[in-house]
Amino acid sequence: MKVAISAVSEDLKQPVNLVFGRCPGYVIAEIEGKEVKETKFVQNPGMNTGMGAGIAAAQVVAGQGAQAVISGNVGPNAFMVLQQSGIKVYKVADLSVEQALKQFADGKLEEVKDSTAPGHFGMGQGQGTGQGAGRGAGAGMGQGQGTGQGAGRGAGAGMGQGRGTGMGRGAGAGAGRGTGAGRGRGPPM
């Protein structure tokens, strides 16, 4: 039986990653009886995508022939694709990849019957503000961007608008500037 485990690297001593769709990759393990015969690491091409990371991840592990997935959390879209592909899902916490494989082989992990995280769980959320005071005949707009870190991969964006002087780019007959700042927050790794 082939099992896919959310992982940060091929190192089996590393913890199981807390997110399925946005983890760096998957340890694909071949288990015969209660023994792990072979493992390989497969990169997750959807780790940094804006949308559809869970669906892309589920397609990757299905393409590897996995019959089961072990992860910290699996969102609703990924869960639906895994379920439609006949792949069972098992949730673990605070285990290394090696420990999770052993518990799976020993029949000690419980299958989950629904997603274990809300959609977009691995994404950071961003907010931003902008300000400026006007000078000149033209109006300018500034944008700020921020990034969030969460589960190794978060993304946040903030936008600020300003007229006049600040720290953005202006357009028109006058000079415009605006400042923006963003902060993001995702789930802990």
Side-chain angles (χ1 to χ4, degrees):
M1 170 180 246
K2 277 193 180 178
V3 181
I5 302 98
S6 301
V8 294
S9 72
E10 69 276 356
D11 184 358
L12 302 182
K13 303 278 186 213
Q14 291 292 317
V16 172
N17 199 281
L18 294 180
V19 293
F20 174 73
R22 295 190 183 278
C23 69
Y26 307 94
V27 170
I28 307 294
E30 182 69 45
I31 298 177
E32 289 181 17
K34 290 188 174 194
E35 208 173 309
V36 176
K37 293 290 185 182
E38 179 185 338
T39 64
K40 69 177 178 178
F41 185 76
V42 176
Q43 295 284 336
N44 178 7
M47 180 175 77
N48 292 317
T49 61
M51 300 290 282
I55 293 170
Q59 291 169 340
V60 166
V61 299
Q64 290 291 320
Q67 296 161 292
V69 163
I70 300 171
S71 185
N73 287 292
V74 177
N77 294 333
F79 189 85
M80 179 183 65
V81 173
L82 293 169
Q83 194 174 41
Q84 289 172 350
S85 300
I87 299 171
K88 296 179 179 185
V89 177
Y90 299 85
K91 181 179 177 175
V92 297
D94 301 323
L95 292 178
S96 70
V97 171
E98 184 176 54
Q99 291 167 325
L101 281 170
K102 176 153 180 36
Q103 286 194 14
F104 179 82
D106 290 342
K108 294 182 179 176
L109 297 183
E110 187 174 333
E111 180 182 356
V112 295
K113 300 294 184 183
D114 201 0
S115 65
T116 60
H120 309 287
F121 181 68
M123 295 179 73
Q125 309 262 337
Q127 295 179 337
T129 58
Q131 23 185 316
R135 226 187 243 175
M141 293 180 63
Q143 295 184 330
Q145 295 183 338
T147 59
Q149 299 286 321
R153 300 291 175 221
M159 295 186 64
Q161 296 181 356
R163 289 192 166 126
T165 59
M167 289 191 46
R169 292 189 180 155
R177 302 173 100 172
T179 61
R183 301 188 84 188
R185 195 180 199 78
M189 273 187 82

